[in-house]
Amino acid sequence: MIITDNVGTIIKVSGPLVVAENMQGAKMYDVVRVSDKRLIGEVIEVRGDRASIQVYEETSGLGPGEPVYSTGVALSVELGPGLIESIYDGIQRPLDVIWKKVGDRITRGVEVTSLDRERKWDFVPVAKVGDTVETGDILGTVQETTLVVHKVMVPPGVSGKITEIKSGEATVEDVIAKVKKDGTVTDVQMLQKWPVRQGRPYKEKLSPDEPLITGQRVVDMFFPVAKGGTACIPGPFGSGKTVTQHQLAKWADAEIIVYVGCGERGNEMTDVLNEFPELKDPKTGEPLMKRTVLIANTSDMPVAAREASIYTGITIAEYFRDMGYSVALMADSTSRWAEALREISGRLEEMPGEEGYPAYLGSRVAEFYERAGKVLCSGQEGRIGALTAVGAVSPPGGDLSEPVSQNTLRIVKVFWGLDAALAYRRHFPAINWLLSYSLYTDTFDDYYRNNMGNEWVKMRGEAMRILQEEADLEEIVRLVGVDALSEKERLILETAKSLREDFLHQNSFHEIDTYASLEKQFKMMKLIMFFHHECQRATERGANLMDLLNLPVRDQIARARYLAETNMAEFDNINAALKEQVANVITAGDDDFEQQYA
């Protein structure tokens, strides 16, 4: 609602930054409408009656003397049924609705509601008249899509006794319940509004104790992220950040996905928009879009809108977390967001920090990631929800010492470091196993022992040790050649090669190899490590290493990644063939030994 008695006047325009005077009563982060074109802006600095405003639309043509209308409310998102399957821009304007209204190009000042006010939803109450409710309690449900049951909650700040509750079809603005407290009756709608820069309330933050299963072998086996954890994917151009995030969005074991394209190229967001409706959920067979919210803020959109898109995305994610869902937020990329901060800070003429970024960059990055977590949700039910935040970082030239990467690494618990050298060798995902780390690994040992047995933890440690030994041996090979190595060391090189090519390498465009369950990952790793141990045993008994490495079963091990999840029995057949073929080599070696000394 526009407050017409508080009209300011533009005195300066500097790109996305507008300075206006006569802005008495304006507060930080209030939304304003700039000029008679009604461009959306947000107050980011107040000095006396002057306000500095970052405008989320193109400001060309604006000039001093034009009016600024204050709304008196903070930049907020609309929360309610209709979020899932939506495609928004950085300030939660639905792009499909704008397209129908104005065509292919977003015109300035276009006003549309974030949620459809006309659509009717079938509201099924679960609370009843006379119930005493508090913030976060569930009043009823709406079947939003075939995959998502939308839980309509008591809004923050509302509590009391239900005096009326309806059922049946209703729009998001219809009153579906009335709550009375101390003689005051509050009307409750399915629609809630929440300021994007303020985290939504919860009762208690819990310690993450369960991994987010992604179906990506290098992640799940070596560098797992928690449900409710934080992770970053830094890497140079072309190393696969976006594809890795697409894979996580497609296959991660989360009930809701919020994907934020922050300042990315338009063709990358187009790929997302084209792919997601066609992809099938591995658990239900339904299209993945039926549990996904997309926020598309491409690089040709106004730079200030990048800053809002990150907050818009995480606020929507928190809303579904409050329902008790496991939510995964993908932010691609936070470097573009930081660049928006840098541009606005420069136009405000603030004292710059390292490399021109604002001095408060670290605190802004921390504020974003700390909104992730596993929480005990508001309400009497005791629901537990989790919000996992995964941010891509695009350091110039792949230099991880730059400020955005460093400030991110100080906060997140998982670092998936992408390597240009691996990407150039067409090894994807190009996560460098020697650089990356996860601070959750030891935390999940009990989970893996309980669900996959003790062997998982033991094999993971041994496999990582072999990969590290390979890196040390490669230096020797470069200097004196592979013939200088002992048989034991050459076996380590061969096993490490098998780990890299047959396990860590994963084809995201292959219908089977794109996803691997924990059971399949376990069986694949077990095959590789079993072959390693059998070769060790055979060489100790005098078998020729080259005979072992040329066994036909090695091709079967390499092709095991293409075995369907429904064909797990084939792993046992490969195991049996491996035992038999190694035994034949040992027997042949024993016969040669006897003939030689007969």
Side-chain angles (χ1 to χ4, degrees):
M1 186 176 73
I2 301 299
I3 303 173
T4 53
D5 61 350
N6 188 11
V7 181
T9 306
I10 295 177
I11 59 172
K12 177 185 174 183
V13 179
S14 175
L17 180 72
V18 168
V19 180
E21 62 183 5
N22 300 326
M23 295 291 292
Q24 296 91 346
K27 302 187 296 294
M28 284 288 286
Y29 305 128
D30 274 3
V31 173
V32 295
R33 291 286 182 170
V34 178
S35 85
D36 290 325
K37 295 184 179 71
R38 301 171 63 77
L39 309 184
I40 299 174
E42 184 184 21
V43 176
I44 56 171
E45 186 180 75
V46 178
R47 292 186 180 180
D49 70 340
R50 286 191 177 186
S52 296
I53 300 156
Q54 64 177 356
V55 181
Y56 293 128
E57 300 183 73
E58 180 59 52
T59 58
S60 60
L62 292 188
E66 296 195 57
V68 175
Y69 304 98
S70 177
T71 65
V73 294
L75 183 66
S76 303
V77 290
E78 294 186 349
L79 305 168
L83 286 170
I84 301 294
E85 293 188 278
S86 293
I87 304 161
Y88 294 114
D89 72 354
I91 47 178
Q92 212 203 4
R93 295 181 299 181
L95 295 176
D96 54 337
V97 177
I98 294 175
W99 176 70
K100 289 173 186 171
K101 187 172 181 178
V102 300
D104 291 345
R105 304 297 295 179
I106 301 176
T107 56
R108 296 193 295 174
V110 63
E111 291 189 48
V112 291
T113 56
S114 301
L115 296 178
D116 190 342
R117 299 295 197 267
E118 305 297 323
R119 183 173 178 180
K120 291 188 177 289
W121 299 92
D122 187 19
F123 176 74
V124 180
V126 295
K128 58 185 184 298
V129 173
D131 286 354
T132 300
V133 293
E134 61 181 49
T135 294
D137 282 343
I138 295 172
L139 294 172
T141 61
V142 167
Q143 190 71 45
E144 188 169 355
T145 69
T146 50
L147 297 182
V148 177
V149 175
H150 193 109
K151 299 170 185 176
V152 179
M153 298 172 287
V154 177
V158 177
S159 62
K161 186 172 286 189
I162 298 175
T163 59
E164 183 183 333
I165 190 164
K166 298 177 181 177
S167 67
E169 292 194 337
T171 66
V172 291
E173 287 187 310
D174 289 341
V175 176
I176 48 108
K178 293 180 184 256
V179 178
K180 185 176 182 180
K181 182 178 182 181
D182 300 334
T184 303
V185 177
T186 304
D187 292 339
V188 178
Q189 306 168 320
M190 287 192 273
L191 173 68
Q192 293 186 23
K193 292 187 179 181
W194 190 261
V196 297
R197 295 179 185 276
Q198 181 181 337
R200 283 179 61 86
Y202 52 83
K203 280 191 172 177
E204 182 185 350
K205 191 164 255 189
L206 308 172
S207 295
D209 56 1
E210 183 182 353
L212 181 75
I213 307 303
T214 65
Q216 309 308 298
R217 295 188 286 267
V218 65
V219 171
D220 293 341
M221 177 64 76
F222 294 114
F223 312 111
V225 63
K227 279 188 179 178
T230 53
C232 73
I233 314 177
F237 176 79
S239 59
K241 294 183 295 297
T242 300
V243 173
T244 303
Q245 283 208 315
H246 287 192
Q247 284 295 95
L248 297 176
K250 291 170 193 174
W251 306 118
D253 182 25
E255 293 154 304
I256 307 288
I257 300 293
V258 180
Y259 189 95
V260 183
C262 175
E264 287 303 296
R265 290 173 295 284
N267 59 329
E268 291 186 355
M269 284 311 299
T270 304
D271 287 345
V272 175
L273 301 182
N274 288 334
E275 282 180 18
F276 273 55
E278 296 176 5
L279 288 165
K280 295 289 186 280
D281 188 303
K283 300 182 189 67
T284 62
E286 293 283 336
L288 275 175
M289 272 302 289
K290 293 195 176 294
R291 58 182 180 92
T292 303
V293 183
L294 293 178
I295 296 170
N297 183 252
T298 56
S299 52
D300 63 342
M301 292 181 176
V303 68
R306 297 181 193 174
E307 211 247 338
S309 62
I310 292 285
Y311 294 112
T312 298
I314 202 157
T315 306
I316 292 172
E318 284 178 331
Y319 176 64
F320 285 104
R321 174 209 69 190
D322 292 345
M323 297 180 195
Y325 287 123
S326 170
V327 186
L329 172 85
M330 307 294 158
D332 186 15
S333 98
T334 54
S335 291
R336 309 280 177 261
W337 168 63
E339 285 165 10
L341 287 177
R342 178 167 63 182
E343 176 159 343
I344 298 297
S345 174
R347 293 185 184 277
L348 285 170
E349 299 176 2
E350 296 175 334
M351 182 69 73
E354 191 179 354
E355 292 189 24
Y357 287 99
Y360 47 78
L361 173 66
S363 62
R364 290 287 177 89
V365 172
E367 283 170 12
F368 167 69
Y369 281 107
E370 72 182 7
R371 288 173 71 170
K374 182 178 181 180
V375 303
L376 180 63
C377 305
S378 299
Q380 303 171 75
E381 187 186 335
R383 300 185 303 278
I384 291 177
L387 167 52
T388 309
V390 179
V393 182
S394 309
D399 176 18
L400 295 182
S401 65
E402 58 89 41
V404 182
S405 300
Q406 288 301 307
N407 281 296
T408 304
L409 289 176
R410 288 189 188 106
I411 294 143
V412 299
K413 296 290 186 72
V414 180
F415 168 57
W416 295 317
L418 297 181
D419 189 341
L422 286 174
Y424 294 149
R425 296 207 300 263
R426 297 294 183 265
H427 178 108
F428 291 104
I431 295 174
N432 188 315
W433 47 89
L434 300 177
L435 291 177
S436 305
Y437 63 81
S438 170
L439 299 182
Y440 296 115
T441 304
D442 295 341
T443 309
F444 298 148
D445 282 355
D446 288 340
Y447 173 89
Y448 286 122
R449 286 192 185 99
N450 294 336
N451 290 276
M452 306 303 299
N454 287 326
E455 274 188 285
W456 177 285
V457 178
K458 184 180 174 184
M459 284 193 309
R460 182 189 66 210
E462 188 176 6
M464 183 54 75
R465 190 167 61 251
I466 287 172
L467 289 168
Q468 288 169 338
E469 285 180 21
E470 180 202 30
D472 297 335
L473 290 172
E474 278 180 342
E475 189 68 30
I476 299 172
V477 171
R478 275 195 293 270
L479 291 171
V480 293
V482 72
D483 294 335
L485 299 181
S486 66
E487 282 201 335
K488 181 180 178 182
E489 289 169 333
R490 286 163 67 188
L491 177 59
I492 284 172
L493 286 182
E494 287 293 329
T495 304
K497 181 182 176 184
S498 182
L499 285 169
R500 286 188 284 106
E501 296 180 359
D502 307 333
F503 187 85
L504 295 175
H505 181 269
Q506 193 165 355
N507 187 347
S508 61
F509 298 102
H510 190 282
E511 61 179 351
I512 293 175
D513 196 33
T514 185
Y515 174 85
S517 65
L518 285 189
E519 182 188 0
K520 183 177 177 180
Q521 293 180 41
F522 177 70
K523 287 181 177 293
M524 287 176 66
M525 178 62 80
K526 195 170 181 180
L527 267 183
I528 295 169
M529 299 312 298
F530 183 58
F531 181 77
H532 178 74
H533 294 145
E534 286 293 286
C535 287
Q536 277 184 325
R537 186 173 65 86
T539 52
E540 286 169 4
R541 291 187 56 178
N544 186 292
L545 179 62
M546 291 309 298
D547 291 343
L548 293 166
L549 298 180
N550 291 325
L551 289 175
V553 77
R554 289 204 75 195
D555 288 335
Q556 291 178 274
I557 294 172
R559 292 196 302 269
R561 57 199 283 198
Y562 301 120
L563 292 175
E565 297 283 344
T566 53
N567 194 20
M568 289 297 176
E570 184 61 26
F571 281 97
D572 296 330
N573 297 336
I574 298 172
N575 220 25
L578 168 57
K579 275 185 180 177
E580 182 183 341
Q581 291 178 27
V582 171
N584 289 340
V585 172
I586 294 174
T587 305
D590 288 346
D591 291 345
D592 292 344
F593 182 83
E594 289 171 8
Q595 290 170 11
Q596 187 176 352
Y597 294 98

